[in-house]
Amino acid sequence: MDPDSLVITDVSPRDGLQNQSAHVPAGAKVDLVLRLAAAGVRSVEVTSFVSPKTVPQMADAAQVLAGVQAALPALRASVLVPNLRGLARAQEAGACEVAVVLSATETMNLRNINMNLATATAVCEETIVAARGAGLATRAYIAVAFECPFEGLTDPIAVRSLCERMLQAGAQEVVLADTIGAAAPCQVTRLLSDLRGVLPLDRTAMHFHDTRGFGVANAWAAIEAGVRRFDASVGGVGGCPFAPGAAGNLATEDLVLLARQSGLETGIDMDGLRDAVEFAEAQLQRPLGGRSMGWYRALAQ
Ligand code: COA
Ligand code: ZN
């Protein structure tokens, strides 16, 4: 892991779009990924192989993944899978990398994937083992790692034990997700310190939502703690449909700008991100953009 650069996974086509009521056609989703890649993004979570009844926006997962892989064979394209059925669909569609999603509380697992914590943990384990056995790269989300909309503050001991289980199953990267954007920087520092000795920093990624405006501050706390892998979403679009109160993700442009002014490479350029934001705005028919995008647009005028 290069200490002078950040690896950013843009999750806008999945986390960003799963919550949108306006249907975005598969071709436009692929186009969004092309624009992200043109901006220099090298890792994208392109879709999820979840139940189309539960998340209708993701019903076209196979088509989107195939379109992305045909156009961008060198892109690191990850997909979310909630169970073995999702993994099988992802493999059939040619996925090379999958992410499982395990919430750190009982209620969040029930709301999100209709499983209790013990079942969800076992299902995530079997999905990771099967994916690794098939030669796929794997990520494991620990959702509501800081606070749960139903159960309040999350017990760091629970997060620690779930991290251990996911790593033992073969997860190559663990993504600590602040699903509802409730954490403050001191909590990020504390959780990463609590996980020392369990979760290696080079296999840790952070996934922040910007509900309270702490997204960039939280990213900085994680950077200072030695994390170099982050999820973010262009334009800040995003949110979990099953987690009340979740606003959009930390915007990719805000993270890129933070990195740039802190001497960290991302390989991503702001003009390209502006193009992707404007494309997403046209698709969703509403203004988007992280806090930095207004400033950046004004510069260009
Ligand atoms: N993809 C497509 N269909 C799936 C599926 C998958 N990964 N997993 C299960 N199904 C289908 C089953 O085949 C079954 O179909 P049928 O009704 O035609 O027989 C139906 O869904 C119900 O299956 P079941 O195993 O009972 O699932 P469930 O209704 O308990 O739902 C999940 C469980 C995990 C599939 C569902 O809650 C889900 O997709 N959650 C994802 C939520 C999400 O995307 N959250 C945001 C990301 S963090
Ligand atoms: Zn999220």
Side-chain angles (χ1 to χ4, degrees):
M1 192 175 61
D2 176 2
D4 297 325
S5 65
L6 297 188
V7 176
I8 298 179
T9 298
D10 191 292
V11 296
S12 59
R14 195 278 299 171
D15 207 349
L17 297 184
Q18 69 186 8
N19 208 10
Q20 307 298 322
S21 46
H23 175 70
V24 179
K29 291 170 182 164
V30 175
D31 200 341
L32 174 62
V33 180
L34 290 175
R35 286 163 198 265
L36 291 171
V41 176
R42 279 161 290 187
S43 175
V44 178
E45 190 171 77
V46 296
T47 186
S48 59
F49 289 85
V50 295
S51 162
K53 284 182 201 148
T54 313
V55 189
Q57 184 71 260
M58 297 289 126
D60 56 8
Q63 206 183 333
V64 173
L65 180 61
V68 166
Q69 289 191 327
L72 300 164
L75 182 81
R76 184 178 158 196
S78 171
V79 298
L80 187 146
V81 297
N83 53 16
L84 287 175
R85 168 105 176 81
L87 174 63
R89 288 177 60 214
Q91 280 180 275
E92 208 179 333
C96 299
E97 177 165 342
V98 294
V100 298
V101 56
L102 177 60
S103 298
T105 65
E106 288 288 347
T107 319
M108 192 63 220
N109 280 301
L110 287 168
R111 298 292 178 105
N112 194 35
I113 55 174
N114 198 24
M115 299 172 207
N116 65 26
L117 178 57
T119 306
T121 307
V123 166
C124 287
E125 283 174 333
E126 69 180 3
T127 305
I128 290 170
V129 168
R132 297 287 289 137
L136 273 61
T138 51
R139 314 176 88 204
Y141 279 101
I142 309 293
V144 296
F146 296 91
E147 189 172 324
C148 171
F150 310 105
E151 296 188 22
L153 286 177
T154 302
D155 179 2
I157 294 169
V159 176
R160 196 182 158 95
S161 111
L162 297 177
C163 287
E164 275 171 335
R165 298 273 300 262
M166 293 301 102
L167 290 170
Q168 273 161 16
Q172 291 162 305
E173 194 171 302
V174 172
V175 190
L176 301 171
D178 183 16
T179 309
I180 56 169
C186 59
Q187 291 168 277
V188 174
T189 308
R190 200 176 315 134
L191 182 63
L192 288 168
S193 151
D194 287 343
L195 295 176
R196 221 173 274 153
V198 169
L199 182 58
L201 283 172
D202 61 354
R203 293 169 70 183
T204 307
M206 303 302 296
H207 176 111
F208 292 117
H209 283 256
D210 209 12
T211 315
R212 302 183 191 183
F214 294 167
V216 159
N218 286 340
W220 183 249
I223 288 169
E224 288 217 301
V227 174
R228 293 292 180 270
R229 298 175 188 276
F230 290 88
D231 285 3
S233 168
V234 77
V237 61
C240 175
F242 309 103
N249 292 64
L250 165 62
T252 306
E253 55 270 27
D254 291 352
L255 182 58
V256 165
L257 201 60
L258 174 73
R260 196 170 83 182
Q261 291 191 220
S262 310
L264 295 162
E265 277 296 325
T266 63
I268 302 173
D269 78 88
M270 289 291 286
D271 284 341
L273 289 180
R274 186 180 53 201
D275 173 63
V277 169
E278 283 166 7
F279 180 76
E281 284 178 324
Q283 291 301 316
L284 299 175
Q285 298 282 299
R286 64 183 174 91
L288 296 169
R291 286 295 298 273
S292 66
M293 197 38 86
W295 165 79
Y296 193 74
R297 279 171 164 150
L299 276 186
Q301 279 166 4

